C-alpha cells in the first residue's frame, strides 16, 4: 500500500498532517472559553520581567506553562476548526491560533503538552485515521465514487510472530505479514450497513486504500450529502479463536458532486463554465472539465479573497496559480482543487481562466509569447499540459520524414529554434523542408520567436527516412539505428509523415518482415504517430481513402503502440482573451479514415521554415507531429508505462467527436494533452489509487 500522508512542519512526535480536533461527530472545537480562562488570571509575582508586556512575545522557559498573562486579549473570535476547512499543511499551533483569534506572539506551545490541566479541560486532540484519499485538504468530506485512506497502528502488530518447531525440536520465529481486515459503512440516516472491503493486508505498510466506487450513495433527505460511519476491524483467526487487534470507527460525509451540463463540461472550443452557490443541501462539490479550447470558470458573486485554498496553498494569487501544488486524486486522474469559504470544493481540469468578481486569474504557464496564435495547441489543451512539463531528456522525439535539405555547402539547413536536433542521415536530394516543419511543430524552443513547439525539452533526432533515390535510408534502417542509439530507460516517440505502401519495403531497402520485426521489438519503449494519409487530395489520390488509412498507418490495427492520425480542420477561428481558438472543427475532406483510424489531431498549423519565417503546414503531415508532441509530454510525465499503455491513455482521454464513442470519421476523437498528462501523473504518483479506475472509465 502506498503511504500518501506527509509530516507537516511544526508537529510533534507521533503527530501527522492528519492531526485534527475531534470531540463531536463533526469534529468541531470552540476555543474561546478555554483561552479566556488562560488570559483572565492575575499575573504571578515570579514570572520573568520580559513577560510583563505580552507584545514582547513568549518565553520557552520550562515553567512558563504555569504563568498566565495579565489581561484578556482585546479580541477573541468564536471560530470552529472542522474538516471542511482543515488545512493539513498547517502546524497544530497555527491552527489553534487561527481558531481562537489569539495573537500568535502570545501563544505558548507548552499548552499542547499532555498532562497539563485546564478548567474547563481542553478538547481532545487526536489523529484522524479515516480520511479522504483525494488529498484535497478536506479530511472527512469525500466525493461519491472516491476513495478512503485508513491508517493502521503499526505498533499493534510488530509483536506478531509465527512460532514453528522443526523435527529436531528447534524453534524459529517469523513475523506475520498479513491480517484480516473488515471495513463497513453505516448510513447514519437509514442505518443501512454496506460491506466496503474484506481482505487480507500487511498492517506494517501503515495504510489501506478503500475504493468507494459504486458502493455508497450520497443521497439523504433533500440533499446530495450523506453521512456514514466507517468501521474498521483487523483480526486473525475466526470464531472463538479470533483475535482482534484494532477496532475503530469514524464518520465521513459523502458528497455527490455536480458535474454535468453546459455549466460544468466544455468541448473542443472555448467555453464559459459557471459556478453558482446553491447551498450545501443541493451539493457542496463541483467538477468542471473545460476540455479543449480556452475555457473560463465564472465564479458568480465570489471574490478571490473567498478562496480558502487552491491546490493545497492558502488562498490564490496570480504569481503561483499555474503551479501544480498538491493535486487532488479522483476518478483515476488528478484535478486542481479549489476550496471556498462557504465550504464548497471545486475540482478543475482544462480550465485556463478563473474569473472572480474582483479579478481574473490565469492558470496557464507563461512559457512563450508566440503561442497565442497556435489554435492547434489550444484545441488540444497543450497549455494545461505545460503546467506539468515541456518534455524530458528521457523521451526522444524521432522524425521519420524527409530530414533536412542542403544549406548550399553540403550540410543540413537547420533553423536555430530546432538547433538541438541530432541529424543522423544525409540531406534529402529534392530540397524538401517537410521534415523541418514537422520538427518545429513537435519541439521548437520556447524563445519568443517563430512557434512554440509542443515538447521543446525532449531530445530530438531526425532521419531522412525516404528511399535511396532521395538520399534516404528507409524506415527499417531508421528504426534499427534508433534501437541501437537509445540508452537505458529512454522512451522514443516516432512521427511518420508518410503515405502509401513504400515504407514497408522502402524500394527494396528492407523487407516488410524486417520492418514488422522492428515494430514488435519497439513496443516496450516506442510509440508511433503515423499520418493516416491525404488520399482524398489531388496530389495523393487513394480510391479507398474513405474506408481505410494509408500504407504503414494500417499497422495501428496490429500493434497497440502505433497510432494512425487523421487531420482535423478548424472552421472560423477567433481570439478568446487574446488566444486564437477554433469555433468549430471537422475532419479534413482529404483525410483518410475508416475502422483503422485511431485518433485525430489538428492540421493547418504554423511551422518554421529554415530561414525562420512562418508557413502554414497542413495535411495529415501536420496532424501526426502535433500528436507526437503530445505523446512526448505524456510519456515525460510517467516513463513507467510502455508504448501500448501510452496509446490507451491518449485514446481514453480524447475528446469524443461525431457520434458517441468510436466512429470511422474521427476514430476515438481529438487528442487532449491535459487530460492525458493528468492520467499519466496519477498513475505515476499513486498507481494503486489511480488504478481504482481503468483507462476506459476515468474522468477525462
Amino acid at each position: 500500500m502506498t503511504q500518501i500522508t506527509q509530516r507537516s512542519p511544526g508537529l510533534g512526535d507521533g503527530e501527522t498532517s492528519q492531526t485534527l480536533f475531534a470531540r463531536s461527530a463533526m469534529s468541531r472545537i470552540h476555543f474561546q472559553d478555554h483561552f479566556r480562562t488562560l488570559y483572565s488570571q492575575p499575573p504571578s509575582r515570579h514570572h520573568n520581567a520580559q513577560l510583563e508586556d505580552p507584545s514582547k512575545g513568549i518565553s520557552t522557559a520550562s515553567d512558563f506553562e504555569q504563568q498566565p498573562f495579565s489581561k484578556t486579549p482585546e479580541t477573541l473570535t468564536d471560530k470552529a476548526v472542522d474538516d471542511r476547512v482543515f488545512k493539513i499543511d498547517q502546524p497544530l499551533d497555527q491552527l489553534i491560533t487561527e481558531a481562537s483569534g489569539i495573537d500568535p506572539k502570545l501563544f505558548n506551545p507548552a499548552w499542547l503538552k499532555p498532562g497539563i490541566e485546564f478548567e474547563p479541560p481542553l478538547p481532545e486532540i487526536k489523529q484522524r485515521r479515516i480520511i479522504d484519499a483525494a488529498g484535497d485538504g478536506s479530511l472527512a468530506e469525500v466525493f461519491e465514487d472516491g476513495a478512503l485512506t485508513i491508517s493502521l497502528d503499526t505498533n499493534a502488530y510488530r509483536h506478531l510472530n509465527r512460532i514453528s518447531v522443526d523435527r529436531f525440536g528447534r524453534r524459529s520465529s517469523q513475523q506475520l505479514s498479513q491480517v484480516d481486515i473488515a471495513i463497513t459503512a453505516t448510513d447514519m440516516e437509514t442505518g443501512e450497513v454496506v460491506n466496503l472491503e474484506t481482505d487480507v493486508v500487511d498492517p506494517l505498510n501503515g495504510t489501506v486504500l478503500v475504493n468507494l466506487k459504486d458502493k455508497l450513495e450520497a443521497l439523504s433527505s433533500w440533499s446530495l450529502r450523506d453521512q456514514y460511519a466507517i468501521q474498521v476491524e483487523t483480526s486473525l483467526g475466526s470464531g472463538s479463536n479470533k483475535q482482534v487487534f484494532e477496532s475503530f470507527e469514524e464518520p465521513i460525509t459523502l458528497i455527490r458532486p455536480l458535474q454535468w451540463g453546459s455549466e460544468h463540461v466544455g468541448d473542443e472550443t472555448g467555453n464559459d463554465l459557471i459556478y453558482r452557490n446553491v447551498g450545501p443541501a443541493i451539493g457542496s462539490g463541483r467538477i468542471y472539465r473545460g476540455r479543449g479550447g480556452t475555457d473560463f470558470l465564472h465564479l458568480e458573486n465570489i471574490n478571490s479573497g473567498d478562496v480558502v485554498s487552491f491546490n493545497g496553498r492558502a488562498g490564490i494569487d496570480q504569481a503561483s496559480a499555474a503551479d501544480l501544488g498538491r493535486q487532488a486524486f479522483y476518478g483515476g486522474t488528478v484535478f486542481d482543487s479549489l476550496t471556498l469559504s462557504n465550504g464548497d470544493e471545486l475540482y478543475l481540469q482544462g480550465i485556463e481562466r478563473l474569473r472572480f468578481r474582483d479579478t481574473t486569474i490565469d492558470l496557464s504557464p507563461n512559457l512563450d509569447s508566440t503561442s497565442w496564435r497556435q489554435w492547434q495547441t489550444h484545441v488540444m489543451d497543450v497549455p494545461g499540459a505545460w503546467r506539468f512539463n515541456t518534455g524530458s531528456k528521457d523521451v526522444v522525439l524521432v522524425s521519420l520524414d524527409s530530414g533536412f535539405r542542403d544549406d548550399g555547402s553540403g550540410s543540413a539547413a537547420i533553423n536555430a529554434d530546432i538547433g538541438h536536433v541530432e541529424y543522423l542521415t544525409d540531406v534529402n536530394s529534392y530540397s524538401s523542408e517537410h521534415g523541418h516543419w514537422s520538427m518545429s511543430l513537435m519541439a521548437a524552443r520556447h524563445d519568443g520567436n517563430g512557434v512554440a513547439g509542443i515538447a521543446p525539452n525532449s531530445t530530438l533526432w531526425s532521419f531522412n527516412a525516404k528511399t535511396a533515390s532521395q538520399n534516404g535510408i528507409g524506415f527499417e534502417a531508421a528504426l534499427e539505428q534508433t534501437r541501437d542509439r537509445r540508452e537505458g530507460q529512454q522512451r522514443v516517440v516516432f512521427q511518420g509523415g508518410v503515405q502509401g505502401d513504400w515504407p514497408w519495403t522502402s524500394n527494396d531497402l528492407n523487407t516488410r518482415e524486417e520492418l514488422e520485426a522492428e515494430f514488435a521489438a519497439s513496443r516496450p519503449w516506442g510509440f508511433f504517430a503515423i499520418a493516416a494519409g491525404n488520399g482524398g487530395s489531388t496530389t495523393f489520390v487513394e480510391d479507398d481513402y474513405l474506408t481505410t488509412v494509408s500504407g504503414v498507418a494500417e499497422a495501428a490495427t496490429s500493434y497497440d503502440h502505433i497510432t494512425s492520425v487523421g487531420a482535423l480542420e478548424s472552421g472560423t477561428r477567433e481570439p478568446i482573451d487574446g488566444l486564437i481558438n477554433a469555433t468549430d472543427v471537422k475532419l479534413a475532406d482529404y483525410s483518410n479514415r475508416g475502422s483503422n483510424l485511431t485518433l485525430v489531431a489538428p492540421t493547418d498549423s504554423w511551422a518554421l521554415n529554415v530561414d525562420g519565417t512562418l508557413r502554414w503546414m497542413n495535411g495529415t503531415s501536420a496532424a501526426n507531429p502535433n500528436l507526437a508532441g503530445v505523446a512526448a509530454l505524456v510519456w515525460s510525465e510517467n516513463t513507467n508505462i510502455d508504448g501500448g499503455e501510452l496509446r490507451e491513455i491518449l485514446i481514453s482521454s480524447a475528446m469524443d467527436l461525431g457520434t458517441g464513442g468510436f466512429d470511422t470519421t474521427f476514430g476515438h476523437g481529438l487528442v487532449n494533452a491535459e487530460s492525458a498528462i493528468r492520467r499519466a501523473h496519477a498513475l505515476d504518483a499513486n498507481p494503486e489509487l489511480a488504478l481504482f479506475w481503468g483507462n476506459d472509465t476515468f474522468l477525462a
Side-chain angles (χ1 to χ4, degrees), residues 4-58:
I4 67 171
T5 58
Q6 297 180 347
R7 181 177 297 276
S8 294
L11 295 181
D13 292 340
E15 296 173 345
T16 74
S17 60
Q18 300 169 21
T19 304
L20 82 151
F21 307 90
R23 171 164 269 188
S24 67
M26 294 303 292
S27 306
R28 300 182 183 277
I29 295 173
H30 296 271
F31 293 93
Q32 180 174 349
D33 293 339
H34 307 297
F35 283 103
R36 181 172 283 114
T37 299
L38 293 174
Y39 277 88
S40 60
Q41 301 297 324
S44 166
R45 297 177 181 273
H46 306 292
H47 66 279
N48 192 308
Q50 75 174 25
L51 301 174
E52 295 286 354
D53 181 0
S55 67
K56 293 182 179 180
I58 59 176

Side-chain angles (χ1 to χ4, degrees), residues 229-247:
I230 307 300
Q231 300 91 20
V232 179
E233 181 182 272
T234 60
S235 62
L236 274 179
S238 60
S240 60
N241 294 323
K242 182 177 180 179
Q243 179 181 358
V244 175
F245 301 107
E246 293 192 85
S247 180

Side-chain angles (χ1 to χ4, degrees), residues 188-236:
M188 296 174 70
E189 182 179 54
T190 67
E192 179 187 4
V193 178
V194 179
N195 179 36
L196 297 180
E197 184 170 316
T198 302
D199 205 348
V200 177
V201 298
D202 182 352
L204 298 184
N205 283 334
T207 60
V208 176
L209 287 172
V210 181
N211 188 0
L212 300 182
K213 186 175 184 298
D214 299 327
K215 294 179 180 178
L216 302 179
E217 284 194 347
L219 293 175
S220 58
S221 300
W222 306 102
S223 176
L224 297 179
R225 300 164 60 89
D226 200 1
Q227 286 192 306
Y228 287 87
I230 307 300
Q231 300 91 20
V232 179
E233 181 182 272
T234 60
S235 62
L236 274 179

